[in-house]
Amino acid sequence: MSEAIEIETSDHVRLGATLFRPSHAPERAVAIQAATGVKQTYYASFASYLAARGFSVLIYDYRGIGRSRPSTLKGYDATMRDWAERDVPAALEALERAAPGARLMVVGHSFGGQIYGLLPQRARIAAALVFGSQSGYWRHWVGLNKLGMWAFTHVAIPAVTRLHGYAAASRIGMGEDLPAGVALEWVRWCRHSEYVVGVLQAHARYAEFRAPLRAVVASDDRYAPLAAVEALLQLYPSAQGEIRCVTPQEVGARRIGHFGYFREALRDTLWREAADWLEAH
């Protein structure tokens, strides 16, 4: 059973969200943190699957995205730090109210797995499962991909954002448009060797995150090369970190890439493995 709800953040921004409830009182509750520029609807099938496995699950849109988007992004004041320090905490609070007493868990996709050290609930999270999450520092890529990542973060995104007043990602097939502050803050993170932790000097906060952390990465995910995933786990020095590398052939898929983790075709392989891992923790 799913229910469309709204969540109010500490600075009174209203976020569109959907709560999936299991058929019985849940022992575990999972909040899914989306990738940059990806709507919550992309995760709905996976959320429904977890609910059928007995989890209470929340999906939601960060400010400026999907059901949380204003009429225009030009002049809209939002940053990636707002997503991490206001939107995600508000979502976790809403989930805890909806599933009192349940163990709090998180599933992150790309950006969604990079910010757990910034959350006030970081000590209450029982387990974190992340897909395609990485440090965005451009030097973790190799060859032409490194050159492309440098150009993307140093030239393309800043230029497009300043030209339009927001990051018009949809015009170049890169997902949802982003508020200017989100895009420009993200590229600043990507230029620092310690990514978000180094820019925000958040080392102590990240060291307080101690939950089991499994990072799943596909061999054909060009947005999350293994070196960048390994670098992400280094940002969580106290976490019980592990990396699960998966190939398309292993799960019977032609490709997985950066956006294939949540496709329905992986229900009996990667999804089942994910739910089993969460249940074990």
Side-chain angles (χ1 to χ4, degrees):
M1 182 176 66
S2 64
E3 174 188 1
I5 63 173
E6 280 195 339
I7 298 167
E8 185 171 356
T9 68
S10 60
D11 59 339
H12 308 297
V13 173
R14 301 192 72 81
L15 308 177
T18 306
L19 180 64
F20 294 77
R21 298 182 185 273
S23 58
H24 53 80
E27 295 180 1
R28 308 170 185 85
V30 175
I32 299 179
Q33 290 74 49
T36 303
V38 178
K39 294 180 181 179
Q40 62 172 289
T41 50
Y42 186 73
Y43 307 96
S45 293
F46 181 66
S48 179
Y49 173 81
L50 289 181
R53 290 282 300 258
F55 296 85
S56 185
V57 187
L58 182 71
I59 57 177
Y60 56 99
D61 290 311
Y62 308 126
R63 64 185 69 194
I65 302 294
R67 283 170 46 204
S68 306
R69 176 173 174 153
S71 57
T72 179
L73 289 180
K74 286 187 176 180
Y76 182 64
D77 184 20
T79 65
M80 202 161 247
R81 192 168 180 177
D82 288 331
W83 286 3
E85 297 185 334
R86 299 181 188 273
D87 298 356
V88 179
L92 295 184
E93 289 174 7
L95 179 59
E96 288 186 304
R97 289 194 299 270
R103 286 173 65 83
L104 180 63
M105 299 179 170
V106 287
V107 169
H109 182 203
S110 197
F111 162 82
Q114 299 167 2
I115 42 75
Y116 296 134
L118 300 178
L119 306 182
Q121 299 97 333
R122 56 187 174 270
R124 298 207 301 275
I125 294 174
L129 177 62
V130 302
F131 296 89
S133 289
Q134 72 290 66
S135 165
Y137 180 49
W138 65 275
R139 288 186 183 274
H140 295 312
W141 280 251
V142 297
L144 290 177
N145 288 332
K146 178 187 287 187
L147 178 61
M149 190 65 176
W150 181 90
F152 190 65
T153 56
H154 288 70
V155 180
I157 288 295
V160 169
T161 301
R162 293 188 172 103
L163 175 65
H164 295 284
Y166 62 95
S170 62
R171 300 192 182 197
I172 56 175
M174 294 293 292
E176 293 294 295
D177 296 334
L178 302 173
V182 168
L184 296 177
E185 184 166 46
W186 177 69
V187 297
R188 285 197 298 273
W189 293 0
C190 290
R191 297 173 191 173
H192 197 288
S193 61
E194 292 182 299
Y195 195 51
V196 53
V197 178
V199 173
L200 300 184
Q201 289 298 294
H203 301 82
R205 284 184 283 172
Y206 273 73
E208 292 172 355
F209 185 85
R210 302 179 184 276
L213 170 60
R214 169 175 271 205
V216 179
V217 59
S219 60
D220 62 340
D221 186 345
R222 65 188 181 93
Y223 292 106
L226 183 57
V229 178
E230 291 172 339
L232 175 70
L233 262 61
Q234 291 174 10
L235 301 181
Y236 293 103
S238 305
Q240 304 166 46
E242 62 178 275
I243 295 177
R244 164 74 165 103
C245 297
V246 61
T247 66
Q249 295 77 17
E250 181 182 349
V251 294
R254 184 176 63 84
R255 65 183 304 272
I256 299 175
H258 194 58
F259 297 99
Y261 302 101
F262 299 94
R263 294 196 178 106
E264 187 90 22
L266 299 183
R267 169 185 290 267
D268 294 327
T269 53
L270 206 55
W271 289 14
R272 178 183 295 172
E273 181 180 309
D276 288 346
W277 187 87
L278 289 168
E279 285 181 352
H281 291 84

